[in-house]
Structure formats: C-alpha cells, structure tokens
Amino acid sequence: MYWLIVERPQNWQFDKQNGFKSFGIPRTKTKMASEIKKGDKLIVYISGGVSCISDLRTVESDELVKQKGIG
C-alpha cells in the first residue's frame, strides 16, 4: 500500500540526519499510522514553503514508537 506523508521542512531535515529511520506524525494521526505496515511505501511531501515530493520510503517495521516532538 502507498501512503502520502506530509512533513514540515524541519521534520524532514531531522529525518535525514537520522538516516530516514523514522518520521513524525501528530497525535491526531496515530490511528492512521497504526494502519501502516512493513513493506508499505511512503511518498513524502514537504510543505511549509517548499511544496514538493521529496522521496519514497519503504516501511521496515510495524512498530509505532512514541517520541517527544521536535517542534
């Protein structure tokens, strides 16, 4: 399955610095995120003035990890 993920530029930079091993979502999207499964594809769109599709990622784990937000 393919998913469109929208990130702010600073979140994308954070992902890049961490080898694209995770991505952040708002709490309001937790239910949607729980439907994303290993092997699914994430089409990443950068908002916030950049407005472009940046990359395609393959999900490597079904696990949801709660972390503190980066802002």
Side-chain angles (χ1 to χ4, degrees):
M1 178 166 292
Y2 286 84
W3 298 88
L4 178 63
I5 303 299
V6 179
E7 289 193 309
R8 294 178 295 181
Q10 60 269 36
N11 288 352
W12 189 89
Q13 285 295 332
F14 180 84
D15 291 353
K16 181 180 177 185
Q17 291 170 356
N18 290 289
F20 297 106
K21 295 292 181 189
S22 63
F23 68 94
I25 59 159
R27 266 184 228 150
T28 58
K29 299 294 183 187
T30 302
K31 183 178 181 209
M32 182 268 313
S34 69
E35 297 176 20
I36 298 173
K37 301 296 178 200
K38 184 176 180 177
D40 286 357
K41 306 291 184 193
L42 306 179
I43 301 166
V44 182
Y45 177 85
I46 303 175
S47 63
V50 177
S51 301
C52 71
I53 293 176
S54 64
D55 57 276
L56 176 69
R57 303 176 195 176
T58 301
V59 178
E60 297 180 353
S61 173
D62 290 330
E63 180 182 12
L64 286 177
V65 178
K66 291 183 181 182
Q67 296 181 330
K68 256 190 163 177
I70 64 165

Coordinates of all heavy atoms in Angstrom, one line a residue:
M1 N 0.8 -1.2 0.0 CA 0.0 0.0 0.0 C 0.9 1.2 0.0 O 2.0 1.2 0.6 CB -0.9 0.0 1.2 CG -1.8 1.2 1.3 SD -3.1 1.2 2.4 CE -4.2 0.0 1.7
Y2 N 0.4 2.3 -0.6 CA 1.1 3.6 -0.7 C 0.4 4.6 0.2 O -0.8 4.6 0.3 CB 1.2 4.1 -2.1 CG 2.1 3.4 -3.0 CD1 1.8 2.2 -3.6 CD2 3.4 3.8 -3.2 CE1 2.7 1.5 -4.4 CE2 4.3 3.2 -4.0 CZ 3.9 2.0 -4.6 OH 4.8 1.3 -5.4
W3 N 1.2 5.4 0.9 CA 0.7 6.4 1.8 C 1.4 7.7 1.5 O 2.6 7.8 1.2 CB 1.1 6.1 3.3 CG 0.5 4.8 3.7 CD1 1.0 3.6 3.7 CD2 -0.8 4.7 4.4 NE1 0.2 2.7 4.2 CE2 -0.9 3.3 4.7 CE3 -1.8 5.6 4.8 CZ2 -2.0 2.8 5.3 CZ3 -2.9 5.1 5.5 CH2 -3.0 3.7 5.7
L4 N 0.7 8.8 1.5 CA 1.2 10.2 1.3 C 1.4 10.8 2.7 O 0.5 10.9 3.5 CB 0.3 11.1 0.5 CG 0.8 12.5 0.3 CD1 2.1 12.5 -0.5 CD2 -0.3 13.3 -0.4
I5 N 2.7 11.1 3.0 CA 3.1 11.6 4.3 C 3.5 13.1 4.1 O 4.3 13.4 3.2 CB 4.2 10.9 5.0 CG1 3.9 9.4 5.1 CG2 4.6 11.5 6.3 CD1 2.7 9.1 6.0
V6 N 2.9 14.0 4.8 CA 3.2 15.4 4.7 C 4.1 15.8 5.9 O 3.7 15.6 7.0 CB 2.0 16.3 4.6 CG1 2.3 17.8 4.5 CG2 1.1 15.9 3.5
E7 N 5.3 16.4 5.6 CA 6.2 16.8 6.7 C 6.5 18.3 6.5 O 6.6 18.8 5.3 CB 7.5 16.0 6.6 CG 7.4 14.6 7.1 CD 8.7 14.0 7.3 OE1 9.6 14.1 6.5 OE2 8.9 13.4 8.4
R8 N 6.9 18.9 7.6 CA 7.4 20.3 7.5 C 8.9 20.2 7.2 O 9.5 19.1 7.5 CB 7.2 21.0 8.9 CG 5.7 21.3 9.1 CD 5.6 21.9 10.5 NE 6.0 21.0 11.5 CZ 6.0 21.2 12.8 NH1 5.5 22.4 13.2 NH2 6.3 20.3 13.7
P9 N 9.5 21.2 6.6 CA 10.9 21.1 6.3 C 11.8 20.7 7.4 O 12.8 19.9 7.3 CB 11.3 22.5 5.8 CG 10.0 23.0 5.3 CD 8.9 22.5 6.2
Q10 N 11.6 21.3 8.6 CA 12.5 20.9 9.8 C 12.3 19.5 10.2 O 13.3 18.8 10.6 CB 12.2 21.9 11.0 CG 10.9 21.9 11.5 CD 9.9 22.9 10.9 OE1 10.0 23.2 9.7 NE2 9.1 23.5 11.7
N11 N 11.1 18.9 10.0 CA 11.0 17.5 10.3 C 11.7 16.6 9.3 O 12.3 15.6 9.7 CB 9.5 17.1 10.4 CG 8.8 17.6 11.6 OD1 9.4 18.2 12.5 ND2 7.5 17.5 11.6
W12 N 11.6 17.0 8.1 CA 12.4 16.3 7.0 C 13.9 16.3 7.3 O 14.5 15.3 7.1 CB 12.0 16.8 5.6 CG 12.6 15.9 4.5 CD1 11.9 14.9 3.9 CD2 13.8 16.0 3.9 NE1 12.7 14.3 3.0 CE2 13.9 15.0 3.0 CE3 14.9 16.9 4.1 CZ2 15.1 14.8 2.2 CZ3 16.0 16.7 3.3 CH2 16.1 15.7 2.4
Q13 N 14.4 17.5 7.7 CA 15.8 17.6 8.0 C 16.2 16.7 9.1 O 17.2 16.0 9.1 CB 16.2 19.0 8.3 CG 16.3 19.9 7.1 CD 17.4 19.5 6.1 OE1 18.4 19.0 6.5 NE2 17.1 19.8 4.8
F14 N 15.3 16.6 10.2 CA 15.6 15.7 11.3 C 15.6 14.3 10.8 O 16.5 13.5 11.2 CB 14.5 16.0 12.3 CG 14.6 15.1 13.6 CD1 15.5 15.5 14.6 CD2 13.9 13.9 13.7 CE1 15.6 14.7 15.7 CE2 14.1 13.1 14.8 CZ 14.9 13.5 15.8
D15 N 14.6 13.9 10.0 CA 14.6 12.5 9.4 C 15.9 12.2 8.7 O 16.5 11.2 8.9 CB 13.4 12.4 8.5 CG 12.1 12.4 9.2 OD1 12.0 12.4 10.4 OD2 11.1 12.4 8.4
K16 N 16.3 13.2 7.9 CA 17.5 13.0 7.1 C 18.7 12.8 8.0 O 19.5 11.9 7.7 CB 17.8 14.2 6.2 CG 19.0 14.1 5.3 CD 19.2 15.3 4.4 CE 20.4 15.2 3.6 NZ 20.7 16.4 2.8
Q17 N 18.9 13.6 9.0 CA 20.0 13.5 9.9 C 20.0 12.1 10.6 O 21.1 11.6 11.1 CB 20.0 14.6 11.0 CG 20.3 15.9 10.4 CD 20.0 17.0 11.4 OE1 19.6 16.8 12.5 NE2 20.3 18.3 11.0
N18 N 18.9 11.5 10.7 CA 18.7 10.2 11.4 C 18.6 9.0 10.4 O 18.0 8.0 10.8 CB 17.6 10.2 12.4 CG 17.9 11.1 13.6 OD1 18.7 10.8 14.4 ND2 17.3 12.3 13.6
G19 N 19.0 9.2 9.2 CA 19.0 8.2 8.2 C 17.6 7.7 7.8 O 17.5 6.6 7.3
F20 N 16.6 8.6 7.9 CA 15.3 8.2 7.5 C 14.8 7.0 8.1 O 14.0 6.2 7.5 CB 15.1 8.2 6.0 CG 15.4 9.5 5.3 CD1 16.6 9.7 4.6 CD2 14.5 10.5 5.3 CE1 16.9 10.9 4.0 CE2 14.8 11.7 4.7 CZ 16.0 11.9 4.0
K21 N 15.2 6.7 9.4 CA 14.7 5.5 10.1 C 13.4 5.7 10.8 O 12.8 4.8 11.3 CB 15.8 5.2 11.2 CG 17.1 4.7 10.6 CD 17.0 3.4 9.8 CE 18.3 3.0 9.3 NZ 18.2 1.9 8.4
S22 N 12.9 6.9 10.8 CA 11.5 7.2 11.4 C 11.0 8.5 10.8 O 11.6 9.2 10.0 CB 11.7 7.4 12.9 OG 12.5 8.5 13.2
F23 N 9.7 8.7 11.1 CA 9.1 10.0 10.7 C 8.1 10.4 11.8 O 7.6 9.5 12.5 CB 8.5 10.0 9.3 CG 7.3 9.1 9.2 CD1 6.0 9.6 9.4 CD2 7.4 7.7 9.0 CE1 4.9 8.8 9.3 CE2 6.3 6.9 8.9 CZ 5.0 7.4 9.1
G24 N 7.9 11.7 11.9 CA 7.0 12.1 13.0 C 5.6 12.4 12.4 O 5.4 12.7 11.3
I25 N 4.6 12.1 13.3 CA 3.2 12.3 13.0 C 2.6 13.0 14.2 O 3.0 12.8 15.3 CB 2.5 11.1 12.6 CG1 2.5 10.1 13.8 CG2 3.0 10.4 11.3 CD1 1.4 9.1 13.8
P26 N 1.6 13.8 13.9 CA 0.9 14.4 15.1 C 0.0 13.4 15.8 O -0.4 12.4 15.2 CB 0.0 15.5 14.4 CG -0.1 15.2 13.0 CD 1.1 14.3 12.7
R27 N -0.3 13.6 17.0 CA -1.1 12.6 17.8 C -2.4 12.3 17.1 O -3.0 11.3 17.2 CB -1.3 13.2 19.2 CG -0.4 12.7 20.2 CD -0.7 13.2 21.6 NE 0.6 13.7 22.1 CZ 0.7 14.6 22.9 NH1 -0.3 15.2 23.4 NH2 1.9 15.0 23.3
T28 N -3.0 13.3 16.5 CA -4.3 13.2 15.8 C -4.2 12.2 14.7 O -5.3 11.7 14.2 CB -4.8 14.5 15.3 OG1 -3.8 15.0 14.3 CG2 -5.0 15.5 16.4
K29 N -3.0 11.8 14.2 CA -2.9 10.8 13.1 C -2.4 9.4 13.6 O -2.0 8.6 12.8 CB -1.9 11.4 12.1 CG -2.3 12.7 11.4 CD -3.6 12.5 10.6 CE -3.9 13.8 9.9 NZ -5.2 13.7 9.2
T30 N -2.4 9.2 14.9 CA -2.0 7.9 15.4 C -2.7 6.7 14.9 O -2.2 5.7 14.5 CB -2.0 7.9 17.0 OG1 -1.2 9.0 17.4 CG2 -1.5 6.6 17.5
K31 N -4.1 6.9 14.7 CA -4.9 5.8 14.2 C -4.5 5.5 12.8 O -4.3 4.3 12.4 CB -6.4 6.1 14.3 CG -7.2 5.0 13.8 CD -8.7 5.3 13.9 CE -9.5 4.1 13.4 NZ -10.7 4.3 12.9
M32 N -4.3 6.5 12.0 CA -3.9 6.3 10.6 C -2.5 5.6 10.5 O -2.3 4.7 9.8 CB -3.8 7.6 9.8 CG -3.4 7.5 8.4 SD -1.7 7.7 7.9 CE -1.1 9.1 8.8
A33 N -1.6 6.1 11.4 CA -0.2 5.5 11.4 C -0.2 4.0 11.8 O 0.6 3.2 11.3 CB 0.7 6.3 12.4
S34 N -1.2 3.6 12.7 CA -1.2 2.2 13.1 C -1.7 1.3 11.9 O -1.4 0.1 12.0 CB -2.2 2.0 14.2 OG -3.5 2.3 13.8
E35 N -2.2 1.9 10.8 CA -2.6 1.1 9.7 C -1.4 0.9 8.7 O -1.5 0.0 7.8 CB -3.7 1.8 8.9 CG -5.0 1.8 9.8 CD -6.1 2.6 9.1 OE1 -6.1 2.7 7.9 OE2 -7.0 3.0 9.8
I36 N -0.3 1.6 8.9 CA 0.9 1.5 8.0 C 1.6 0.2 8.5 O 1.9 0.0 9.6 CB 1.8 2.7 8.1 CG1 1.0 4.0 7.6 CG2 3.0 2.6 7.3 CD1 1.7 5.3 7.9
K37 N 1.9 -0.6 7.5 CA 2.6 -1.9 7.8 C 3.9 -2.0 7.1 O 4.2 -1.4 6.1 CB 1.7 -3.0 7.3 CG 0.3 -3.0 8.0 CD 0.4 -3.2 9.5 CE -0.9 -3.2 10.2 NZ -0.9 -2.9 11.6
K38 N 4.7 -2.9 7.6 CA 6.0 -3.3 7.0 C 5.8 -3.6 5.5 O 4.9 -4.3 5.1 CB 6.6 -4.5 7.7 CG 8.0 -4.8 7.2 CD 8.5 -6.0 8.0 CE 9.9 -6.3 7.5 NZ 10.5 -7.4 8.3
G39 N 6.7 -3.0 4.7 CA 6.6 -3.2 3.2 C 5.8 -2.1 2.5 O 5.9 -1.9 1.3
D40 N 5.0 -1.3 3.2 CA 4.2 -0.2 2.6 C 5.2 0.8 2.1 O 6.4 0.9 2.6 CB 3.3 0.4 3.6 CG 2.0 -0.5 3.9 OD1 1.9 -1.6 3.3 OD2 1.2 -0.1 4.7
K41 N 4.8 1.7 1.2 CA 5.6 2.7 0.7 C 5.1 4.1 1.2 O 3.8 4.3 1.2 CB 5.6 2.7 -0.9 CG 6.0 1.4 -1.5 CD 7.4 1.1 -1.3 CE 7.8 -0.2 -2.0 NZ 9.0 -0.7 -1.7
L42 N 6.0 5.0 1.6 CA 5.6 6.3 2.0 C 6.1 7.3 1.0 O 7.3 7.4 0.7 CB 6.2 6.6 3.3 CG 6.0 5.6 4.5 CD1 6.7 6.1 5.7 CD2 4.5 5.5 4.8
I43 N 5.2 8.0 0.4 CA 5.5 9.1 -0.5 C 5.6 10.4 0.4 O 4.6 10.7 1.0 CB 4.5 9.3 -1.6 CG1 4.4 8.0 -2.5 CG2 4.8 10.5 -2.5 CD1 3.2 7.9 -3.3
V44 N 6.7 11.0 0.4 CA 6.9 12.1 1.4 C 6.8 13.4 0.7 O 7.6 13.7 -0.3 CB 8.2 12.0 2.2 CG1 8.4 13.1 3.2 CG2 8.3 10.6 2.9
Y45 N 5.9 14.3 1.1 CA 5.7 15.6 0.6 C 6.1 16.6 1.6 O 5.7 16.5 2.8 CB 4.2 15.8 0.2 CG 3.9 17.2 -0.3 CD1 4.0 17.5 -1.6 CD2 3.4 18.1 0.6 CE1 3.7 18.7 -2.1 CE2 3.1 19.4 0.1 CZ 3.2 19.7 -1.2 OH 2.9 20.9 -1.7
I46 N 6.9 17.6 1.2 CA 7.4 18.6 2.1 C 6.5 19.9 1.9 O 6.4 20.4 0.8 CB 8.9 19.0 2.0 CG1 9.7 17.7 2.1 CG2 9.3 20.0 3.0 CD1 11.2 17.9 1.8
S47 N 5.9 20.3 3.0 CA 5.1 21.5 3.0 C 5.9 22.7 3.5 O 7.1 22.7 3.4 CB 3.8 21.3 3.8 OG 4.2 21.1 5.2
G48 N 5.2 23.7 3.9 CA 5.9 24.9 4.6 C 6.8 25.7 3.6 O 7.9 26.0 4.0
G49 N 6.3 26.0 2.5 CA 7.0 26.9 1.5 C 7.9 26.1 0.6 O 8.2 26.6 -0.5
V50 N 8.2 24.8 0.8 CA 9.0 24.0 -0.1 C 8.1 23.4 -1.1 O 8.3 23.5 -2.3 CB 9.8 22.9 0.7 CG1 10.5 22.0 -0.3 CG2 10.7 23.5 1.7
S51 N 7.0 22.8 -0.7 CA 5.9 22.3 -1.6 C 6.5 21.4 -2.7 O 6.4 21.7 -3.9 CB 5.1 23.4 -2.2 OG 4.5 24.2 -1.1
C52 N 7.0 20.2 -2.3 CA 7.5 19.3 -3.2 C 7.4 17.9 -2.7 O 7.5 17.7 -1.5 CB 8.9 19.6 -3.7 SG 10.1 19.3 -2.5
I53 N 7.4 16.9 -3.6 CA 7.6 15.5 -3.2 C 9.1 15.3 -3.1 O 9.8 15.6 -4.0 CB 6.9 14.5 -4.2 CG1 5.4 14.7 -4.1 CG2 7.3 13.1 -3.9 CD1 4.6 13.9 -5.1
S54 N 9.5 14.8 -1.9 CA 11.0 14.7 -1.7 C 11.5 13.3 -1.9 O 12.6 13.1 -2.4 CB 11.3 15.2 -0.3 OG 10.7 14.3 0.7
D55 N 10.8 12.3 -1.5 CA 11.4 10.9 -1.5 C 10.3 9.9 -1.4 O 9.2 10.2 -1.0 CB 12.5 10.8 -0.5 CG 12.0 11.0 1.0 OD1 11.9 12.2 1.4 OD2 11.6 10.0 1.6
L56 N 10.7 8.6 -1.6 CA 9.8 7.5 -1.4 C 10.6 6.6 -0.4 O 11.7 6.3 -0.6 CB 9.6 6.7 -2.7 CG 8.9 5.4 -2.7 CD1 7.4 5.7 -2.3 CD2 9.0 4.7 -4.0
R57 N 9.9 6.2 0.7 CA 10.5 5.3 1.7 C 9.7 4.0 1.8 O 8.5 4.0 1.5 CB 10.4 6.0 3.1 CG 11.1 7.4 3.1 CD 10.9 8.1 4.4 NE 11.3 9.5 4.2 CZ 11.2 10.4 5.2 NH1 10.7 10.1 6.4 NH2 11.5 11.7 5.0
T58 N 10.4 3.0 2.2 CA 9.8 1.7 2.4 C 9.7 1.4 3.9 O 10.8 1.6 4.6 CB 10.5 0.6 1.7 OG1 10.6 0.8 0.3 CG2 9.9 -0.8 1.9
V59 N 8.6 1.1 4.4 CA 8.4 0.8 5.9 C 9.1 -0.5 6.2 O 8.9 -1.5 5.6 CB 6.9 0.8 6.3 CG1 6.8 0.5 7.7 CG2 6.3 2.1 5.9
E60 N 10.0 -0.4 7.2 CA 10.8 -1.6 7.6 C 10.3 -2.2 8.9 O 10.8 -3.3 9.3 CB 12.2 -1.2 7.8 CG 12.9 -0.7 6.5 CD 14.3 -0.3 6.7 OE1 14.8 -0.3 7.8 OE2 14.9 0.0 5.6
S61 N 9.3 -1.7 9.6 CA 8.8 -2.2 10.8 C 7.3 -1.8 11.0 O 6.9 -0.7 10.6 CB 9.6 -1.8 12.0 OG 9.1 -2.2 13.2
D62 N 6.6 -2.7 11.7 CA 5.2 -2.3 12.1 C 5.1 -1.6 13.4 O 4.0 -1.1 13.7 CB 4.4 -3.6 12.2 CG 4.1 -4.4 10.9 OD1 4.0 -3.7 9.9 OD2 4.0 -5.6 11.0
E63 N 6.2 -1.4 14.1 CA 6.2 -0.8 15.4 C 6.0 0.7 15.4 O 6.7 1.4 14.6 CB 7.6 -1.2 16.1 CG 7.7 -0.6 17.5 CD 9.1 -0.9 18.1 OE1 10.0 -1.3 17.4 OE2 9.2 -0.6 19.3
L64 N 5.1 1.2 16.2 CA 5.0 2.6 16.4 C 5.8 3.0 17.7 O 5.7 2.3 18.7 CB 3.5 3.0 16.7 CG 2.6 3.0 15.5 CD1 1.2 3.3 16.0 CD2 3.0 3.9 14.4
V65 N 6.6 4.0 17.5 CA 7.5 4.4 18.7 C 7.0 5.9 19.0 O 7.1 6.8 18.2 CB 9.0 4.4 18.3 CG1 9.8 4.9 19.4 CG2 9.4 3.0 17.8
K66 N 6.7 6.1 20.3 CA 6.3 7.4 20.8 C 7.6 8.1 21.2 O 8.4 7.6 22.0 CB 5.3 7.3 21.9 CG 4.0 6.8 21.5 CD 3.0 6.8 22.7 CE 1.7 6.2 22.2 NZ 0.7 6.2 23.3
Q67 N 7.8 9.3 20.6 CA 8.9 10.2 21.0 C 8.4 11.6 21.2 O 7.3 11.9 20.7 CB 9.9 10.1 19.9 CG 10.5 8.8 19.6 CD 11.6 8.8 18.5 OE1 11.5 9.6 17.6 NE2 12.5 7.9 18.5
K68 N 9.2 12.3 21.9 CA 8.9 13.8 22.1 C 9.0 14.5 20.7 O 9.9 14.2 19.9 CB 9.9 14.4 23.1 CG 9.4 14.6 24.4 CD 10.3 15.5 25.2 CE 9.6 16.0 26.4 NZ 10.4 16.8 27.3
G69 N 8.1 15.4 20.5 CA 8.2 16.2 19.3 C 9.4 17.1 19.1 O 10.0 17.4 20.1
I70 N 9.7 17.4 17.9 CA 10.9 18.2 17.7 C 10.5 19.7 17.4 O 11.3 20.5 17.2 CB 11.8 17.7 16.5 CG1 11.0 17.8 15.2 CG2 12.3 16.4 16.8 CD1 11.9 17.6 14.0
G71 N 9.2 19.9 17.4 CA 8.7 21.3 17.2 C 7.9 21.5 15.9 O 7.5 20.8 15.2

